[in-house]
Every structure is written in C-alpha cells, then in structure tokens.
C-alpha cells in the first residue's frame, strides 16, 4: 500500500466512522484491499488508524478483474493529502520500507505501480428488498449467499487519483462533507469535483431516512 493510499485512508478514517455507516437506513460497510502481503496488514492499520477491515490480494487478481491499471504517474495534487509534500511522502515511504528490512517483508509491500479505485457493491436484487447483512457480503440469515453488483465506481488513473472524501460521503448517503483541509483551493475543488460513475445510494438513503422519521413521529402527531 503506497504512501498516497495510506494518506487517503487517514483522511477517510477521520471523516467516516463504522458507527456512521451502521447508522444509515441500510447498514453499510467499507472494506480495504491492498496488493501487498497479508503480513503487513497490522502495520498499515497502525500507521493509518483505519477502523475498517483490511484485506490483502498479493496476486492482484481482484485489481485485474475490476479493470484497474498500473502506473507511476502522480497526476494533480488532491485535497486529501493535506499539507503533505511530495518530498514528505517519498521520505515516509522510504522510512517505512527500511523499518521492514529487519522483518524480511520489504519485498512484500506490493506492486508500487498498481493503482486501485473505489467501488460500491449493492445487492443485485435491490437495495431496499435485500439489506446488506455482513461486511463481506456472505451468507444471509436464510443461509443463502447474497449476490452483489457494482452500482458506482471510480478507477484511479494516477497514483494520487482517489475519489475525494466529499464525493465518497455523497455516494454512501452520509451527511456532511468530511474534514476540511487547509488548502482552500483544493478543498473547494474536492467539494464540487466528481470522478465516479454510476448510481449512488444517497437519494434512496435520504428518502428512507425521511420515511423513518415520519413513521417515528406519526403517533405523537396524531395524539
């Protein structure tokens, strides 16, 4: 997992919590998949403070199946990097690699050219009719495997091309825009720019929230 991706996880973790996701009308989960060894997961979680489950796919088969690419191009500077300079990012990556020399894992940090993306998986039979029952989309209460499909996605074109946090929160149907950065120009761009394509849950989540509120206040209103 590159330094840029780790910075993205820090920004993500500072703005979105598991509690906020579970508080949505339909319980929602975030899973993080890296292309390094599973032996490095604990290190990445400690470095980023990520509260979400982290998995490893050193074969990069998932990346290939989802059509993600490989590149060294950095692209334009995103808002989620905050005050971090390119030099700081490079030095941090080198230092992190040196710390892994003694463990023998320095060669298992994954393909540095592999870039990822953000994908929204929802029940193939419909968001409302088949609520998400587990973080890994496993067996439902009836014991049947719940089929999922991608309804929104963004594939990175450069090593820093993650969807910004405000867009991700909008896609998930969460209130708010995330933690602002000190760079006003880049933050304003992050608030308006949209990189992903597809249908989001936000509209349906909003309607479900309104319906839930109406149901909750109905008895009192009629009293």
């Amino acid at each position: 997992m590159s330094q840029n991706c780790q910075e993205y996880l820090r920004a993500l973790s500072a703005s979105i919590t598991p509690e906020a996701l579970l508080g949505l009308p339909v319980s929602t989960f975030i899973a993080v998949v890296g292309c390094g060894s599973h032996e490095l997961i604990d290190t990445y979680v400690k470095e980023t403070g990520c509260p979400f489950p982290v998995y490893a796919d050193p074969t990069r088969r998932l990346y290939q199946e989802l059509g993600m690419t490989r590149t060294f191009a950095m692209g334009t500077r995103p808002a989620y990097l905050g005050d971090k300079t390119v030099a700081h990012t490079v030095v941090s990556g080198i230092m992190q690699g040196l710390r892994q020399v003694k463990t023998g894992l320095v060669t298992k940090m994954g393909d540095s050219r592999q870039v990822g993306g953000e994908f929204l998986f929802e029940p193939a039979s419909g968001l409302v009719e088949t609520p998400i029952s587990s973080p890994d989309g496993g067996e439902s209460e009836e014991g049947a495997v719940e089929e999922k499909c991608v309804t929104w996605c963004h594939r990175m074109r450069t090593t820093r091309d993650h969807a910004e946090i405000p867009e991700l929160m909008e896609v998930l149907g969460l209130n708010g825009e995330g933690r602002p950065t000190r760079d006003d120009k880049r933050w304003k761009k992050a608030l308006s720019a949209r990189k992903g394509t597809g249908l989001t849950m936000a509209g349906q989540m909003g309607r479900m929230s309104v319906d839930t509120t109406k149901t909750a206040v109905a008895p009192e209103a009629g009293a």
Side-chain angles (χ1 to χ4, degrees), residues 1 35-40 44 58 100 103-111:
M1 188 180 296
C35 64
S37 169
H38 70 278
E39 297 172 276
L40 289 162
Y44 292 141
Q100 297 302 329
T103 66
L105 298 176
V106 69
T107 60
K108 299 182 180 181
M109 299 177 71
D111 186 342

Side-chain angles (χ1 to χ4, degrees), residues 44-199:
Y44 292 141
V45 170
K46 182 179 180 180
E47 290 282 346
T48 63
C50 179
F52 306 110
V54 179
Y55 302 92
D57 176 23
T59 68
R60 296 188 295 110
R61 180 178 177 182
L62 179 62
Y63 290 79
Q64 294 164 10
E65 291 290 337
L66 292 176
M68 291 179 271
T69 61
R70 298 168 68 238
T71 180
F72 276 137
M74 292 192 299
T76 57
R77 182 182 175 84
Y80 71 79
L81 281 180
D83 299 328
K84 302 294 190 304
T85 64
V86 174
H88 179 277
T89 301
V90 171
V91 171
S92 295
I94 293 174
M95 294 302 295
Q96 194 172 104
L98 290 175
R99 287 196 293 270
Q100 297 302 329
V101 171
K102 292 182 179 180
T103 66
L105 298 176
V106 69
T107 60
K108 299 182 180 181
M109 299 177 71
D111 186 342
S112 57
R113 293 183 60 188
Q114 180 66 64
V115 295
E118 297 77 40
F119 290 77
L120 175 63
F121 292 86
E122 297 186 77
S125 59
L127 176 61
V128 178
E129 290 78 6
T130 313
I132 299 171
S133 56
S134 65
D136 57 3
E139 294 187 353
S140 64
E141 295 180 0
E142 292 77 18
V145 174
E146 190 174 51
E147 184 179 354
K148 298 290 197 302
C149 63
V150 177
T151 56
W152 176 94
C153 73
H154 164 248
R155 294 178 179 87
M156 297 171 66
R157 296 180 177 86
T158 67
T159 59
R160 305 190 294 189
D161 187 35
H162 283 286
E164 294 279 15
I165 303 302
E167 178 177 7
L168 198 59
M169 294 182 70
E170 178 183 289
V171 167
L172 294 171
L174 291 169
N175 294 324
E177 299 168 334
R179 180 177 295 180
T181 63
R182 295 180 182 179
D183 190 322
D184 292 337
K185 183 178 180 180
R186 289 192 175 88
W187 179 246
K188 288 179 180 178
K189 183 178 179 180
L191 292 175
S192 59
R194 295 295 178 265
K195 298 180 178 181
T197 57
L199 300 174

